[in-house]
Amino acid sequence: MLITVTGATGHLGRRIVHQLSKTLSPNQIRIGAHNPSKAAALMEAGFQVAHLDYQDPATLTPALRDHHQTYLLSQSTSLPMTELAAIMTKVSGHQIGYQPVSVAEFARLYREEGDGDELASMYQAGAMGLLSGTSDDFWTITGHAPTSMADFLAANYRPK
Ligand SMILES: NC(=O)c1ccc[n+]([C@@H]2O[C@H](COP(=O)([O-])OP(=O)(O)OC[C@H]3O[C@@H](n4cnc5c(N)ncnc54)[C@H](OP(=O)(O)O)[C@@H]3O)[C@@H](O)[C@H]2O)c1
């Protein structure tokens, strides 16, 4: 088995690599690195490192060669914003609602944090249904169901 982890040097990707390392050897895990320099330590640890840039199609074929399967790690169900708000209301004890805004307004709301446009593009993708795909791949890889959003928040919510 060979698994390539995209975004492997990021917050989520690093954790996925760490978890996979518990059951696979480093030569079974390929690091898909946007900036291979950030993966130097992983390369030293024996992982294969391949340059992978979503915006540069020429990098995708070499990085994903030898694969027979692509996995989508997701929750078991896709949660609309209103359901997320209901879960957060229950867990936090505070009434949390959802009020749709325009993409431009969404970008403005988060601009001060420095990633308004990036988050707005995800907001738009969500509205277009592009983030609602689910799969059983998490179960296939780990042998257990992903933690539900409600259980995760109940275990980790810390009121200020
Ligand atoms: N963390 C969260 O709370 C959260 C919540 C919702 C959704 N997400 C989504 O989950 C994904 C991972 O999140 P994260 O927190 O791990 O983000 P992150 O720490 O910023 O990591 C993103 C990773 O993607 C790589 N990357 C950036 N541009 C790329 C490109 N053009 N082609 C290939 N790889 C590229 C980055 O490499 P470089 O650093 O070298 O550019 C980095 O390894 C993102 O799509 C994020 O929007 C995260």
Side-chain angles (χ1 to χ4, degrees):
M1 177 187 284
L2 174 64
I3 292 184
T4 294
V5 180
T6 60
T9 58
H11 294 111
L12 184 60
R14 274 199 303 267
R15 298 182 77 149
I16 291 172
V17 170
H18 178 70
Q19 288 298 323
L20 286 174
S21 301
K22 293 179 180 174
T23 49
L24 297 176
S25 60
N27 65 4
Q28 292 177 294
I29 302 170
R30 185 180 287 157
I31 305 301
H34 184 216
N35 288 294
S37 59
K38 292 187 182 172
L42 290 166
M43 195 185 285
E44 274 177 30
F47 294 93
Q48 301 181 39
V49 175
H51 179 212
L52 188 156
D53 184 342
Y54 298 129
Q55 299 193 49
D56 180 358
T59 67
L60 300 182
T61 303
L64 299 175
R65 72 180 183 278
D66 307 325
H67 289 75
H68 305 290
Q69 182 76 44
T70 300
Y71 295 106
L72 170 66
L73 301 183
S74 71
Q75 294 253 308
S76 307
T77 55
S78 171
L79 298 170
M81 293 292 203
T82 46
E83 259 182 65
L84 277 173
I87 291 171
M88 290 193 286
T89 296
K90 191 172 173 192
V91 172
S92 69
H94 299 285
Q95 185 62 41
I96 297 174
Y98 170 61
Q99 179 65 50
V101 294
S102 71
V103 174
E105 175 66 2
F106 193 93
R108 196 191 61 74
L109 289 171
Y110 286 93
R111 188 145 292 145
E112 265 185 23
E113 294 177 19
D115 51 6
D117 289 332
E118 182 190 337
L119 292 176
S121 73
M122 288 175 61
Y123 183 72
Q124 185 172 22
M128 294 166 72
L130 298 175
L131 304 181
S132 54
T134 59
S135 82
D136 295 330
D137 293 345
F138 186 92
W139 180 284
T140 304
I141 293 173
T142 66
H144 61 86
T147 306
S148 72
M149 182 61 77
D151 288 347
F152 178 83
L153 290 179
N156 293 284
Y157 173 67
R158 301 279 178 274
K160 279 192 177 172

